[in-house]
Amino acid sequence: MTARVAAFVLLVAVLVPAAAGAKTSDSSPVDLTRLVSPQFVVTGHGWGHGVGLSQWGAYGYAKAGVTYPKILAHYYPHTTLGPATLRRVRVLLAQGATSVVIASEDDMRVKDANGDAHTLAAGSYKLKPGLKLAVDDQAKPQKLAGPLTFAAGSEPLSLGGRAYRGQLELSVAGGKLQVINVVGLAQYLWGVVPSEVPDDWPAEALKAQAVVARSYALSHLQKGGGFDLFSDTRSQVYRGIAAEVDSTTGAVDATAGQVVLYGGKVASTYYFSTSGGRTAAIQDVWPGSMPVPYLVSVPDPYDKASPYHDWKPAAIAPAKLAKVLKMDGPVLDVRMTMNGSQRVAQIAGVGPGGTVGPAVDSADFRQALDLRSTWFTVGELGLVQPSAPVAYGTLFSLTGLARAVGSVTVEQQQAGSTIWTAVSTVAPRTDGTVSVALTPTETTQYRLRTDVVKSKPVTVTVMPMVKMRAAIDGSGFVGSSHPVRPGTIVQVQRRSAGRWTPVAGARIDSAGRWRATVEPRPGAYRARLPASNGFAAGTSAVLAVGPLP
């Protein structure tokens, strides 16, 4: 090790409070007021709201040989499988449109509100709220009484270039067009299941998804508006014929009419991508919801197959974190309240002076930062600025916080250098603190680094180790200084009238020793070495000579 490399010993360790039950994380174990611009990261588990069936968990169960009825019984305890009574649904495809294009490669039929049926030749038809069409081989378009119901011939109907099974119903509401697809429940699911899960998944996982999608549709029928379901995530993603795949169509057909039942009614079979290892109870995800016996938190051991089971730490800009947490000033720490499903219920920022900001709902926090779930942890990285210079050759402790940030490396940048070099990796303590014992040999900057974020650097100022004693022959004072800086002038000072006044000077020799000739008078003396070459000014201990005045 060269003289420019700081010598140190590492005594390290960080806190990640366990999140179980309705608990609030403890206050920070370090003095937050002295943390230098702490940096924040967020890490977590899963993707989605967490209620009901985990799609990746079902995939894992299917890969392990578990059949779909047992998969469903695990995610929806206390339920049974039974038959559905509804066989046809009305799916909203377009709303508030100024024009739509309906087409088919074969002749089609259109029935108006008067019950009159008309023939439309194969082709593409652009309709506006006036509902004018050239029908029955007529050259001139005529206004038809809405709503209009389009029925396919031997080829399906399409809306805006996307083909759908069943009929298309066109109506005018508020001067705008609305299109509803009237389609069989099975055919609807043919376009839903492959839109919600990969079609190459194991058959039992696809069957579980088919039953869940069927149950979800029937338990979430819309009231009013003339339709039952949306064609997007407000209900389930439905992409029509283009989405259909043999494997998922087979899963729908193999589970024909089956739904999840609780108490004789179709269950609200919520589902999502990835749990992270445990699903969530409905009341923990949507505050105000009453507990539901089959929408409880259950372990999800096979969810590990998901690429989103755990997510790696991602940096959060301190300014954005302050905005999301509705803090007027900087955020120095966070406090999280956990629910019974191990997710975050609320989160609040801690500012200067320990002031705690307003509690922010975890769902709002998730949305603002585009997180995958509310099962997250906010980690923090920062060092405490030392309050005083460190004497050369002495051991001091550099402290900070490195909570829930992954592996941490201590880096240094010495005076006059622009290069950061790794000192060592450190393992934070379980309480979140980091304490690094160092013996720096010159003024040095230090920082903590992880894979995604670096702490703001702190400067550890080093001052020379200066010693002084009275000369044995009474001629003045002798002493030493380390590190050795030959030729540097040491100043001997005497305290007079509350001030330190120079009384003598001496030049340091090649061994670091010096001698100052002065006739000592009673009083307090010290030796002082001025700041230079990356060192702060250094002083010796005060030496009393004779009775103090």
Side-chain angles (χ1 to χ4, degrees), residues 156 162-166 181 183-195 199 238-250 252-253:
R162 175 170 287 176
Y164 295 93
R165 298 185 185 280
N181 182 199
V183 63
L185 179 58
Q187 289 71 40
Y188 164 73
L189 294 173
W190 291 352
V192 166
V193 176
S195 301
D199 57 75
Y238 169 56
R239 295 188 290 118
I241 294 174
E244 296 176 9
V245 181
D246 289 345
S247 59
T248 49
T249 296
V252 172
D253 294 345

Side-chain angles (χ1 to χ4, degrees), residues 116-202:
D116 296 328
H118 307 275
T119 300
L120 279 177
S124 178
Y125 296 85
K126 184 175 182 179
L127 291 103
K128 296 183 178 181
L131 300 184
K132 292 184 178 181
L133 274 174
V135 296
D136 302 325
D137 297 326
Q138 296 180 10
K140 185 177 180 179
Q142 59 178 294
K143 181 177 176 59
L144 301 179
L148 306 180
T149 301
F150 293 80
S154 60
E155 295 294 330
L157 301 170
S158 70
L159 175 69
R162 175 170 287 176
Y164 295 93
R165 298 185 185 280
Q167 299 176 335
L168 296 181
E169 185 179 281
L170 177 66
S171 61
V172 180
K176 303 290 184 179
L177 294 173
Q178 175 174 284
V179 182
I180 292 170
N181 182 199
V182 183
V183 63
L185 179 58
Q187 289 71 40
Y188 164 73
L189 294 173
W190 291 352
V192 166
V193 176
S195 301
E196 295 286 356
V197 292
D199 57 75
D200 60 353
W201 276 13

Side-chain angles (χ1 to χ4, degrees), residues 57 83 96 136 184 208 256 305 336 353 382 429 431 452 516 548:
D136 302 325
M336 296 180 291
R429 296 188 188 98
D431 71 346
V452 298
L548 295 179

Side-chain angles (χ1 to χ4, degrees), residues 487-509:
T488 305
I489 301 298
V490 174
Q491 192 178 77
V492 176
Q493 299 175 329
R494 181 176 182 271
R495 188 170 181 81
S496 175
R499 299 180 59 185
W500 289 99
T501 304
V503 295
R507 193 177 299 277
I508 298 173
D509 66 19

Side-chain angles (χ1 to χ4, degrees), residues 418-496:
T418 60
I419 299 173
W420 287 93
T421 58
V423 170
S424 178
T425 57
V426 297
R429 296 188 188 98
T430 55
D431 71 346
T433 57
V434 174
S435 178
V436 186
L438 301 168
T439 310
T441 58
E442 64 178 337
T443 296
T444 304
Q445 284 193 315
Y446 293 96
R447 72 182 183 188
L448 301 177
R449 178 180 59 79
T450 72
D451 290 339
V452 298
V453 69
K454 307 178 196 61
S455 72
K456 296 296 182 182
V458 296
T459 300
V460 176
T461 304
V462 177
M463 61 182 183
M465 175 67 76
V466 183
K467 295 181 179 180
M468 183 182 76
R469 61 180 174 82
I472 296 176
D473 59 8
S475 62
F477 300 94
V478 295
S480 62
S481 175
H482 294 283
V484 176
R485 294 156 63 187
T488 305
I489 301 298
V490 174
Q491 192 178 77
V492 176
Q493 299 175 329
R494 181 176 182 271
R495 188 170 181 81
S496 175

